[in-house]
Amino acid sequence: GAVVSQHPSRVICKSGTSVKIECRSLDFQATTMFWYRQFPKQSLMLMATSNEGSKATYEQGVEKDKFLINHASLTLSTLTVTSAHPEDSSFYICSAIDPGGDTYNEQFFGPGTRLTVL
Amino acid sequence: AQSVSQHNHHVILSEAASLELGCNYSYGGTVNLFWYVQYPGQHLQLLLKYFSGDPLVKGIKGFEAEFIKSKFSFNLRKPSVQWSDTAEYFCAVNAGAGGYNKLIFGAGTRLAVHP
């Protein structure tokens, strides 16, 4: 149980275009999901907390207008990188918490999406 | 602000050697502590976690960690490593009592085990 998927796994886009990344909880309903960014050989940095039915909470230094987060349902959160530039190239990872299980406060991670902006 | 320090960035061991990876956090209140592993090309997987109770926590694949509150530490150990343990290991802290608080990750430790 507690499986999180991401789509796509890899995406290459041209500079200036927008890219949408989906994060799904497959076997549970997640009221809260998280979006992280991982640079090569570095740790995960939390970008934002995605709350179902309300606005996302962004970490300091993360541009809200550039990284649009939508958590429209209990199983889906999307991250849209708008007007992507090469410096946005990174590994984006989502996670979710299963409020209904016995895994209180444990985050289940998706496999990540590698974004390359040319 | 809360922070997590992993002192060893790269560790190289031979098979059967013992492993201890350090993790220290800065937060004076109630914490939940985690160790995650990221095998090459794979996503993060939970090795073990501490919420409360016995400070010595057993995880998967023979790993264990000990929470020492007085030292703000949660070091990861394994008595005898295998080649398949080659991966990156992340310590993380979920600070604050109750609620779905955010995880703060350490910088990670890259472990290479040679046959």
Side-chain angles (χ1 to χ4, degrees), chain B residues 2-14:
Chain B
Q2 299 110 27
S3 65
V4 178
S5 297
Q6 290 182 242
H7 311 296
N8 314 102
H9 297 294
H10 288 92
V11 174
I12 301 173
L13 294 173
S14 298

Side-chain angles (χ1 to χ4, degrees), chain A residues 64-84:
Chain A
K64 302 178 183 181
D65 295 333
K66 179 159 190 67
F67 299 100
L68 301 179
I69 291 172
N70 185 293
H71 195 153
S73 78
L74 287 171
T75 59
L76 173 65
S77 175
T78 60
L79 168 68
T80 301
V81 183
T82 62
S83 186

Side-chain angles (χ1 to χ4, degrees), chain A residues 31-32 34 36 38 40-46 49 59 91 93 97-100 102-112, chain B residues 6 10 32 34 36 38 41-46 49 51 88 90 94 96-108 110:
Chain A
T31 53
T32 303
F34 301 87
Y36 295 85
Q38 185 180 27
K41 301 183 179 180
Q42 294 187 32
S43 186
L44 282 76
M45 299 298 294
L46 179 65
T49 303
E59 294 300 300
F91 197 51
I93 304 172
I97 289 176
D98 179 4
D102 59 353
T103 55
Y104 184 69
N105 272 0
E106 178 180 344
Q107 294 184 25
F108 297 93
F109 286 83
Chain B
Q6 290 182 242
H10 288 92
N32 299 321
F34 306 81
Y36 284 90
Q38 189 173 31
Q42 297 188 28
H43 62 280
L44 280 170
Q45 301 174 37
L46 181 68
K49 60 188 177 184
F51 286 174
E88 188 149 20
F90 294 96
N94 180 320
Y100 300 136
N101 297 299
K102 59 188 180 183
L103 278 177
I104 308 297
F105 280 86
R110 194 172 293 272

Side-chain angles (χ1 to χ4, degrees), chain A residues 6 8-13 19 21 36-45 47 67 79 81 84-93 111-118:
Chain A
Q6 282 184 241
S9 57
R10 292 177 179 270
V11 58
I12 300 173
C13 69
V19 174
I21 302 170
Y36 295 85
R37 185 172 179 176
Q38 185 180 27
F39 289 102
K41 301 183 179 180
Q42 294 187 32
S43 186
L44 282 76
M45 299 298 294
M47 299 174 66
F67 299 100
L79 168 68
V81 183
H85 288 92
E87 58 266 29
D88 298 324
S89 298
S90 189
F91 197 51
Y92 292 88
I93 304 172
T113 297
R114 185 161 303 283
L115 169 63
T116 303
V117 184
L118 302 176

Side-chain angles (χ1 to χ4, degrees), chain B residues 21-40:
Chain B
L21 301 182
C23 173
N24 287 90
Y25 64 92
S26 64
Y27 184 74
T30 302
V31 292
N32 299 321
L33 298 155
F34 306 81
W35 274 98
Y36 284 90
V37 61
Q38 189 173 31
Y39 296 103

